[in-house]
Amino acid sequence: MTKIIDRNNIDFLVFDVFKLRELLGRGRYADHDTESITSVLDLAEQIATNDLWPHLSKSDREEPVLKNGTVRIIDQAISALGVLRDAGFFSARFDTKLGGMQLPVVINNACNGMFKGANIGTMSYMGLTQAAAGLLNTYGTTDLKVRFMMPLLQGKFFGTMCLSEPNVGSSLGDIITKATPQSDGSYFVTGSKMWISGGDHNAAENIIHLVLARTPGSVNGVKGLSLFAVPKIKVNNDGSLGDNNGVSVAGLNHKMGYRGTSNCLLNFGEITDCQGHLVGELGKGLLAMFHMMNESRISVGIGGAMLANVAYRVALNYAKERKQGRKLDDKNSSNKPVAIIEHGDVRRMLMRQKALSEGAVALCLYSGMLVDLEILSADKIERQRYTDMLEVFTPIVKAWSTEFGVQANKLAIQVMGGYGYTRDFPVEQLYRDNRLNMIHEGTNGIQALDLLGRKLVMDEGRALKTFAAEIRADLASLNETTNLRPFIDKLTNILTNVEEWLTQVRSMLQSGEKSGVLTNAMPFLHAFGHLAVGWLWIKQSSIASNLLDKSSPRQSDSFLQGKITTCQYFFEYEIPEAEAWLKVVKTNPGAVLGMAEDSF
Amino acid sequence: MKILVPVKRVIDANVKVRVKSDQSGVELANIKMAMNPFCEIAVEAALRMREAGQADEVIVVSAGVSQCHETLRTGLAMGADRAILIEDDQDLEPLVVAKLLKAVCEREEPGLVLLGKQAIDGDNNQTGQMLSALLGWSNATFASSIEVNDDHFKVTRELDSGLESVTANRPSVITVDLRLNEPRYASLPNIMKAKKKPMDKLTAADLGVDSSPRLQVVKVEEPPARQAGIKVSSAEELVDKLRNEAKVI
């Protein structure tokens, strides 16, 4: 069987490129060492391969069903979630005192990435639960922590995030779900929430919904929103389950992919009273949500990267085995057909998948490292530096990894031709599953607005300055044993160019000229993402060269050589696209904004 | 009762094994290593006995290069109580391993030694049998079920001809087969706990055993590639080929 998870790549990035070892044994991670981290990654790889991957197709073919008001998912998904729970992955990154193991974020992300790559539809129940627990850990009262968070961490209860409504998606300020205060300090929640992943299922004994709602008399817009913890079944003071809490499933959404994850329209307080508990302060609901949102966005990015990477490995394996046609230079039709990996166009498609998917994995794991570095920083200025970096990287991780992850998924199907388009192979499902990652947790368009309209221009461009300085310093520190100089020069050039243009953007935005420049936010994010990923490819190439020179590296020579050549590909084929887009984004989007609606 | 579980570090079952270019052995550089799958089954069986109150302590022991401590940690993370590493850089033969284990048994006095029936690298299927002979203890091999009693074990053995039930008096050496159980995963908390569990380090000299090889490897090569089949025109030709070419009838 093909190994679907590229552990070599994960180990190379985590240990060799990002030097995780320097973080282990320090502060929060005092109890960890390379050996325990390797065991954790081994365990995650085993569960991904043995428990999640085998029911990938089944969970797609047998969608969740709504029967007598409750949603049922397939048994294999329930038992795989049980394996994840028993292994302790629900609480892995949380404090030891909460039963967690204070796993470094980068490793937690790498593990979750393997689970997602193997079966994102099943994994997402755990991802949502981890996010809900994280939010309660930061903003919940002691009572909410005991009542709801601990069972979430133990994997007994699962969690959801309820933001969107039937008529409110990206524009959360228009939310109308109500929360009315009761004499006991709790609230009655009434309203409908749409697109609720994991909104109902039979995989856990209870579900804790985190619901954004509006209290009476609150101001319009996002500042009037508060956050409430709403259990599916009430939890008694002794932790036992009480009555149903008036959350009903009005219907299931039937999606293109991610079909293993139930997706519901939920009604709160429609039939019976629905009790909610305030999380954090009144009017600060969205703020609390966003605290968790950055983490969730990185997590979506990892999904984008890993689904692309797994599809690449399936396509690669196929291309090595499938014999079809002869080399273009071979005119003798009686010669045996060659494996399709020998054809130039197939090689180009495989190369692009490798460059994009491994580039995205690097981007995502690097962001995880930034979170760890931020956590470990004792020094305020140092911590601010990592916070700035994360501000810039988060929208890129989310949008670039998913945008280009899906591009890679498209090519995995193309490499396999008609077979790739059938349900006999997993690549068509991986494509459909990954397509959601461009949409949820803030659409890619929202990410682009966040990057160009906010992150890169705020505080006189402070985060941008940090980003640029970090990249320049790192490039200067790299060992230039290979032919990296032209790539480094090219990248530095683009960086300078972008910095200059962003100074102009800043003054345009300050003078209120927003819509023109922000119309091109998405192509800008593409180009800026290429810049960041180009840097990470140079880094990977340089480190691969260093390891090639050593006598006994962890990785094989062919693996390391692959990194060096793919960096070359990235600068020859991908970076020119970024340069082209940067030219476009500087122009006035006259055609796009100028055409009359009737002419579309 | 104390249970001793010897575990072997072998090439991971998912890795394609390659012969070294000088034919002196198989390629081990940059190769992922893991606990022999049959040994995992033995560890699982021991842990289940402890969980059922039939044993008080499970000790994992491994002999070989210093990296064997990783294999022992895996056993500890699954739930074993402590570990013994017998460090030795030589290529250890089954008889040497059996002698080393005998010395450990004399120190630890376990009521049961549980081993995998064989390791997936050498496929020798010898160590358990040799150990029981050296100790003079009872021996049951290829166990697909083990019942623990006060002074004996009832073991079901898997043979080509079917199942055989035997009784083995305590102390005993039992080797386990594939269908005995499905080994558990180590959990994350147990991976962390494993780091703090004791691991004794010994050498062959500490145990008074000469670990030098007694066998000589002449060369290691890939099995011959399978030849393409041919069509025969008659039953007579088939019989003739089976008799005179293949020499199987």
Side-chain angles (χ1 to χ4, degrees), chain B residues 41 45 49 114 140-148 153-158 163-168 174-181:
Chain B
I41 294 170
M49 287 175 194
L114 270 176
T141 50
F142 320 141
S144 66
S145 90
I146 305 170
E147 184 189 304
V148 183
F153 304 95
K154 281 187 92 169
V155 179
T156 305
R157 304 178 65 223
E158 285 200 355
L163 300 177
E164 181 185 41
S165 281
V166 296
T167 300
I174 298 177
T175 75
V176 304
D177 214 324
L178 196 64
R179 276 161 289 271
L180 179 61
N181 60 47

Side-chain angles (χ1 to χ4, degrees), chain A residues 201-230:
Chain A
H201 51 76
N202 55 333
E205 62 187 55
N206 200 2
I207 302 173
I208 307 301
H209 304 285
L210 293 176
V211 182
L212 272 187
R214 196 174 285 289
T215 48
S218 60
V219 296
N220 286 339
V222 294
K223 288 185 176 150
L225 297 176
S226 307
L227 186 64
F228 298 88
V230 180

Side-chain angles (χ1 to χ4, degrees), chain A residues 380-417:
Chain A
K380 213 174 141 188
I381 297 169
E382 191 191 331
R383 187 174 323 126
Q384 186 61 50
R385 205 172 83 225
Y386 296 123
T387 311
D388 287 347
M389 288 291 278
L390 268 171
E391 295 274 19
V392 176
F393 269 92
T394 303
I396 305 175
V397 166
K398 196 292 178 174
W400 195 94
S401 304
T402 59
E403 200 79 26
F404 289 95
V406 170
Q407 295 270 346
N409 281 111
K410 186 181 84 180
L411 292 174
I413 298 173
Q414 195 69 18
V415 163
M416 296 175 64

Side-chain angles (χ1 to χ4, degrees), chain A residues 474-482 484 541-543 545-546 549:
Chain A
D474 189 68
L475 289 175
S477 75
L478 289 179
N479 185 356
E480 261 188 67
T481 48
T482 51
L484 283 175
S541 175
S542 160
I543 284 163
S545 303
N546 291 350
D549 294 341

Side-chain angles (χ1 to χ4, degrees), chain A residues 31 33 35 42-43 46 50-51 87-88 101 553, chain B residues 30 32 69 73 185-189 191-192 195:
Chain A
D31 287 341
D33 55 29
E35 196 177 301
D42 286 348
L43 175 60
Q46 282 177 356
N50 303 335
D51 299 277
M101 70 181 299
Chain B
N30 305 322
K32 185 171 164 48
H69 82 265
R73 287 273 177 235
Y185 292 128
S187 71
L188 297 182
I191 288 173
M192 297 310 284
K195 295 167 58 151

Side-chain angles (χ1 to χ4, degrees), chain B residues 24-36:
Chain B
S24 64
V26 296
E27 196 60 70
L28 291 177
N30 305 322
I31 298 288
K32 185 171 164 48
M33 306 294 279
M35 187 189 289
N36 175 39

Side-chain angles (χ1 to χ4, degrees), chain A residues 490-502:
Chain A
K490 168 75 73 185
L491 197 82
T492 322
N493 238 329
I494 299 175
L495 182 60
T496 311
N497 201 316
V498 166
E499 281 180 297
E500 282 167 14
W501 181 63
L502 284 171

Side-chain angles (χ1 to χ4, degrees), chain A residues 156-171:
Chain A
K156 277 168 63 186
F157 299 176
F158 286 3
T160 77
M161 298 291 158
C162 303
L163 285 79
S164 298
E165 295 178 358
N167 289 312
V168 181
S170 297
S171 178

